[in-house]
Each structure stands twice: as structure tokens, then as C-alpha cells.
Amino acid sequence: MTTTQVSIIASFSRESGELELHLRSHLCGASESSELWVGSKTEKYMLVSPDSYYNDALRERRNSGNMVATWDKKEHVILVGQVWSPSVPVPPSSVILVASAIEAEVSVT
């Protein structure tokens, strides 16, 4: 099992007045995001690269919302959002409210 750290940054946009969530990982490239998934029963996380969706079976599971956890084939996972490289900045018009980090398993197909 390989894990990686995902930074979670909550910010407030002065322009839109909205709260924003930014997910960052060093495993992600500047021009292509990965996806963060959370267990439906546990507080475990899974990072899936878009390269994984070249696998037809996994792409079908992802599109139908039937993704399975890497830690337990009986547990499904729910999409949290896109994870980008730390080099993708938080917009300058936003104020960072809080930053934290989690460990996520790296899904390898």
C-alpha cells in the first residue's frame, strides 16, 4: 500500500463571497488533476490518477458511481473532488482560512 499526503485548503473568495475548497498533492501534475475519494463506511481516502480511467472497467465504475475501496472490496467510495499540484495557486483574491492535510492511499490499476 502506497500513501501520499493531500493538503486541504479552505479559502474565502473576496470576489464571489463563496467558501472554496482546494485539494493539493505532490503526486499531481500542474496541468492534470487526480481525484480524491472517501470511504462510504470508513474515514479512509483514496487518490486516483486520471490515467487509471484508460482501463475500461474502472472508467465504467467511475462513471456509474460504483467505485470500490482499495482497502476493502466490499466498501464503496464517494468522490470528494479534484486534487491539483501544489504549484496551482489559490487565487490572489482569496483569503486562506485554514489548511490541513490527510493521508490517502494511491490507487494503482
Side-chain angles (χ1 to χ4, degrees):
M1 168 180 69
T2 302
T3 62
T4 189
Q5 192 171 70
V6 177
S7 297
I8 302 169
I9 303 163
S11 69
F12 174 76
S13 170
R14 292 182 200 140
E15 291 178 352
S16 69
E18 300 285 326
L19 290 175
E20 300 170 334
L21 186 65
H22 310 273
L23 305 171
R24 304 285 190 260
S25 173
H26 288 287
L27 287 184
C28 299
S31 62
E32 189 172 71
S33 66
S34 288
E35 294 178 340
L36 182 66
W37 296 75
V38 64
S40 59
K41 299 175 187 173
T42 60
E43 294 183 13
K44 293 184 177 182
Y45 301 91
M46 182 170 93
L47 191 67
V48 181
S49 165
D51 293 340
S52 300
Y53 300 127
Y54 289 121
N55 174 316
D56 290 337
L58 186 59
R59 184 174 54 247
E60 185 177 319
R61 280 185 161 282
R62 188 244 180 256
N63 292 340
S64 66
N66 191 25
M67 291 284 282
V68 177
T70 54
W71 55 85
D72 181 352
K73 300 303 179 198
K74 295 180 182 176
E75 182 173 5
H76 287 83
V77 287
I78 303 161
L79 180 63
V80 175
Q82 303 297 310
V83 182
W84 296 90
S85 166
S87 67
V88 176
V90 172
S93 62
S94 294
V95 177
I96 294 176
L97 302 174
V98 66
S100 188
I102 59 169
E103 289 290 320
E105 287 191 21
V106 178
S107 176
V108 180
T109 56

